[in-house]
Amino acid sequence: MEQQPKKRIYSAIQPSGMLTLGNYLGALRNWVAMQDEYECIYTVADLHAITVRQEPAKLRKQILETYALLMAVGIDPEKSLLFIQSHVAAHSQLAWILSCYTQFGELSRMTQFKDKSAKHADNINAGLFSYPALMAADILLYQADMVPVGADQKQHLEITRDVANRMNNIYPNVFTVPEPYIPKIGARVMSLQEPTQKMSKSDPNVNAWVAILDKPDDIMRKFKRAVTDSEACVRYAEGKDGINNLMDIFSAVTGKTYAEIEKEFDGKGYGDFKMAVGEAVVDTLKPVQDRFNELMSNRDVLETTWRNSAQQAEAIARRTLGKVMKKIGFIY
Ligand code: TYM
């Protein structure tokens, strides 16, 4: 039987400080799992990061650490491309072109734009507004079939699909229309303090989120303090947002179903359950932290790796950019 070419996966993450357990369960561990079956291309989205003001030295450090952390969670540059967005100029070039095919009205409806402009009212810049055009450029440059993301990126994926379909109607077959890949468990890890809100590294309450690099003691403390309810029964049910979130996290890291978890903690208090979730998360993150420390002491390896990957990515990206520019009517 003839072998089908592998489907292509693209995804990216912003280097905005500490990555969280939400990033890990919603996106990164799926990135890792997809490497054998698919042709994967992953990026540190540094261009997206400057939609909010960044301090130069801190940004540089965060880009480096995010890159190392992606390798530490298990992205293998022998299998996948792993590079820094700004190293491939075609991302910015295609973003401009796509912004001319993206409507003001559709960008105005983006909840992330509304949230971020409320949070950074003194800096509502044009980049923050046209952010989804850059994200569409990232994905469409590589003609990706699937994009593994957490649930909060769904709206950005929809606009990417709309822009791709719009361009394909004008210039037939210019882009592959990508599908989102959103996991069943872990797609929306919630705050440990306000479990109706998404877990986010920008939350000023450090007890609300777990960083992938948090020390075991801190992780345990955060889970012990996690907000629950007064029923004292470990079961998944409407209105039990705190326990539902802890069950989701426990299920994601242990592979146990809700029914299995309910049975295991039948008759036990929330204290035991919180300890078990904390310990399971510590066990999951410990090897990642060890690998991260090793990688950070070897910056040369990181640099060589991102340069090689960027070169290969550039070749793919330039092909798409050339095709788009010719179709539009530029002298390319
Ligand atoms: P970012 O950097 O905010 O998040 C990276 C990935 O982590 C997921 N995520 C979560 N999943 C579950 N629960 C949470 N609490 C949680 N918090 C974050 C996000 O859904 C995401 O998958 N715009 C993107 C980066 C980007 C991108 C792209 C993504 C730039 N270009 C192209 C895909 C394709 C962002 O800011 O993600």
Side-chain angles (χ1 to χ4, degrees):
M1 217 171 73
E2 206 182 313
Q3 251 204 327
Q4 294 286 324
K6 281 185 176 176
K7 287 201 170 177
R8 193 176 280 160
I9 302 295
Y10 179 89
S11 201
I13 186 161
Q14 289 200 56
S16 38
M18 292 282 190
L19 303 193
T20 69
L21 184 64
N23 294 128
Y24 182 68
L25 298 180
L28 303 185
R29 64 186 199 130
N30 299 313
W31 295 16
V32 174
M34 288 171 130
Q35 292 183 108
D36 289 321
E37 199 178 331
Y38 302 101
E39 181 193 342
C40 298
I41 304 179
Y42 298 127
T43 312
V44 177
D46 56 346
L47 295 170
H48 279 101
I50 63 161
T51 52
V52 298
R53 199 67 75 229
Q54 301 284 348
E55 198 197 302
K58 205 166 147 203
L59 178 62
R60 243 186 311 274
K61 181 166 174 274
Q62 287 175 189
I63 295 169
L64 180 72
E65 287 180 355
T66 304
Y67 191 88
L69 200 48
L70 293 178
M71 284 180 67
V73 297
I75 306 300
D76 178 356
E78 299 280 320
K79 294 182 187 162
S80 307
L81 298 186
L82 179 61
F83 64 98
I84 298 170
Q85 187 187 27
S86 66
H87 291 181
V88 178
H91 288 250
S92 308
Q93 292 169 290
L94 185 63
W96 169 255
I97 293 174
L98 296 186
S99 71
C100 299
Y101 293 80
T102 310
Q103 298 302 305
F104 181 88
E106 51 192 355
L107 290 172
S108 315
R109 285 193 291 276
M110 294 294 113
T111 44
Q112 185 171 305
F113 171 68
K114 290 186 213 162
D115 288 351
K116 285 210 174 165
S117 44
K119 246 189 229 157
H120 303 277
D122 56 338
N123 183 22
I124 306 178
N125 58 74
L128 192 62
F129 187 65
S130 59
Y131 180 114
L134 177 58
M135 187 159 153
D138 295 342
I139 299 166
L140 301 180
L141 263 183
Y142 300 98
Q143 308 286 1
D145 297 289
M146 242 191 313
V147 183
V149 282
D152 63 326
Q153 295 298 320
K154 190 163 178 255
Q155 206 183 22
H156 288 157
L157 257 293
E158 277 159 14
I159 200 170
T160 300
R161 289 170 54 84
D162 290 345
V163 171
N165 280 318
R166 185 171 306 145
M167 297 280 289
N168 283 346
N169 283 332
I170 315 173
Y171 315 107
N173 300 321
V174 68
F175 290 128
T176 301
V177 181
E179 296 286 341
Y181 175 88
I182 297 174
K184 284 202 180 69
I185 302 274
R188 208 173 161 75
V189 177
M190 308 307 271
S191 154
L192 298 182
Q193 290 297 314
E194 264 182 273
T196 51
Q197 306 286 319
K198 181 184 91 165
M199 179 181 283
S200 159
K201 55 207 158 202
S202 59
D203 195 322
N205 182 352
V206 292
N207 287 322
W209 51 282
V210 172
I212 299 178
L213 296 176
D214 269 349
K215 294 199 179 70
D217 286 352
D218 292 329
I219 297 176
M220 292 307 291
R221 188 195 70 238
K222 291 177 185 185
F223 278 105
K224 275 185 206 157
R225 291 194 186 168
V227 167
T228 49
D229 54 66
S230 55
E231 192 196 33
C233 174
V234 177
R235 64 185 185 99
Y236 201 96
E238 211 172 306
K240 288 173 69 76
D241 299 312
I243 286 295
N244 294 350
N245 188 37
L246 294 179
M247 285 181 73
D248 257 345
I249 294 171
F250 196 57
S251 168
V253 294
T254 61
K256 293 178 183 170
T257 62
Y258 296 152
E260 284 166 344
I261 299 170
E262 285 170 2
K263 198 160 159 224
E264 184 176 340
F265 292 93
D266 187 25
K268 294 193 182 143
Y270 285 164
D272 288 349
F273 180 50
K274 287 182 187 180
M275 288 282 284
V277 182
E279 278 162 11
V281 169
V282 167
D283 289 348
T284 304
L285 297 183
K286 182 73 179 53
V288 174
Q289 299 179 348
D290 293 345
R291 271 200 300 275
F292 173 81
N293 292 330
E294 253 169 60
L295 286 159
M296 283 301 285
S297 63
N298 213 338
R299 195 185 154 138
D300 288 354
V301 173
L302 299 179
E303 277 189 23
T304 314
T305 311
W306 71 49
R307 218 175 292 129
N308 283 343
S309 267
Q311 259 171 17
Q312 293 174 59
E314 172 115 43
I316 306 171
R318 286 178 70 89
R319 263 202 307 279
T320 303
L321 185 67
K323 177 172 160 190
V324 174
M325 290 181 74
K326 269 190 236 150
K327 290 211 181 213
I328 289 177
F330 289 112
I331 297 173
Y332 186 70

